[in-house]
Amino acid sequence: MKIAILSRNKNLYSTRRLIEACEKRGHEPMVLDALRTYMDIASNKPEAHFKGKVLPSFDAIIPRIGASVTFYGTAVLRQFEVMGSFPLNESVAISRSRDKLRSLQLLARKGVGLPNTGFANSPDDVQDLIKMVGGAPLVVKLLEGTQGIGVVLAETKKAAESVIEAFMGLKANILVQEYIKESSGADIRCLVIDGKVVAAMKRQAQVGEFRSNLHRGGSATLIKITPAERATAVKAANVMGLNVAGVDLLRSARGPLVMEVNSSPGLKGIEEATGKDIADMIIEFIEKTAKPHKTKTKGKG
Ligand code: ADP
């Protein structure tokens, strides 16, 4: 099969592993920087171009679209969908998962466990907002943040008020969330492919830090997850309409709570922690599933 990988850099670990897996399984991979891919959208023969050349038609597209280029990257992916290529994850599902607020609302509607979370606009509503999520300590999250940047733990009510008011003063959109103490600086990343958790790792924050992101110095280890955690991760990926997803869970006293569903999960941490060949599983899934014009929008919203 001809497989295009939308990635800004072919030397990134995940991109490299996907190229290797394609080649090992007898496919022809091509890495395309989405920002250098442009398109003829309105003709009756839609085309995609790359650095001056018309691109061939691809059987499948693997989107590895960074958060900062979601708008342009999903437009490029959508163009390939129109042209009949099979997307590993659909453009609609990627856009949906990139909006933290919209994702939580969709997950809540389907009964997926979540930390109590509030969203407000006016500084006049801060007192009630804090009360609504159960008071301090609480977590304040910038909607545009990734890799743990813009996630703040406010230990007291006074600190929470100041941080929320400061963000609001800067016109930044923030979520205010119950702090799950029992998780003790750890979260669980479940890698879901085609409705199954194929690998799971525990990420533990550094001493003195509550954010367990590997980019924030967290460490990853293999973990055995419970049936409830497995079911929650699968359901979350399904609600988002993602074939491949990294679902982040917190272990709480009331069971697994979903923090985030990632549509371009990094492969390095999870392959190293679990010793599993996730790239190979992804290509195997594409072989099994890719058919021309097989894009149907899954889920709603
Ligand atoms: P990002 O998308 O920037 O990674 P997250 O929402 O995943 O932001 O938060 C970063 C980290 O902070 C998480 O991996 C987790 O370790 C910790 N964290 C986030 N929300 C909570 C919470 N409500 N309770 C406890 N820890 C949390």
Side-chain angles (χ1 to χ4, degrees), residues 100 115 139 141 145-149 151 177-180 183 185-187 203 210-213 248 250 259-260:
K100 285 192 193 198
V139 179
K141 294 186 184 186
T146 58
Q147 303 178 344
I149 296 166
V151 179
Q177 195 165 69
E178 159 195 22
Y179 175 55
I180 308 298
S183 66
D187 74 354
R203 294 179 300 196
F210 81 104
R211 297 167 300 176
S212 55
N213 305 67
D248 295 342
L250 289 172
M259 227 172 6
E260 174 161 61

Side-chain angles (χ1 to χ4, degrees), residues 99-269:
D99 182 336
K100 285 192 193 198
L101 178 63
R102 180 177 173 196
S103 305
L104 293 181
Q105 287 175 316
L106 287 168
L107 293 167
R109 185 163 81 193
K110 297 290 179 186
V112 175
L114 303 169
N116 290 329
T117 308
F119 184 58
N121 172 62
S122 168
D124 294 341
D125 300 319
V126 169
Q127 296 294 333
D128 196 39
L129 180 68
I130 293 175
K131 205 157 88 205
M132 208 170 72
V133 301
L138 55 75
V139 179
V140 180
K141 294 186 184 186
L142 265 182
L143 275 186
E144 295 77 30
T146 58
Q147 303 178 344
I149 296 166
V151 179
V152 180
L153 174 61
E155 312 225 23
T156 63
K157 180 156 177 282
K158 272 274 151 262
E161 283 167 11
S162 315
V163 173
I164 297 169
E165 282 166 9
F167 277 133
M168 282 180 168
L170 293 169
K171 303 267 171 264
N173 283 316
I174 47 161
L175 292 175
V176 175
Q177 195 165 69
E178 159 195 22
Y179 175 55
I180 308 298
K181 295 186 229 23
E182 316 88 276
S183 66
S184 317
D187 74 354
I188 298 171
R189 158 62 61 94
C190 299
L191 208 292
V192 179
I193 302 180
D194 193 20
K196 282 189 250 358
V197 176
V198 298
M201 64 174 167
K202 178 176 161 175
R203 294 179 300 196
Q204 180 70 53
Q206 277 179 333
V207 178
E209 170 64 69
F210 81 104
R211 297 167 300 176
S212 55
N213 305 67
L214 302 182
H215 290 98
R216 304 267 73 75
S219 56
T221 47
L222 184 67
I223 191 179
K224 198 168 155 37
I225 58 171
T226 65
E229 287 161 350
R230 193 170 287 277
T232 301
V234 167
K235 187 167 175 184
N238 188 36
V239 170
M240 303 309 297
L242 292 167
N243 294 317
V244 172
V247 181
D248 295 342
L249 302 175
L250 289 172
R251 275 188 171 161
S252 83
R254 61 178 192 277
L257 304 177
V258 173
M259 227 172 6
E260 174 161 61
V261 184
N262 195 317
S263 57
S264 291
L267 302 185
K268 188 165 193 280

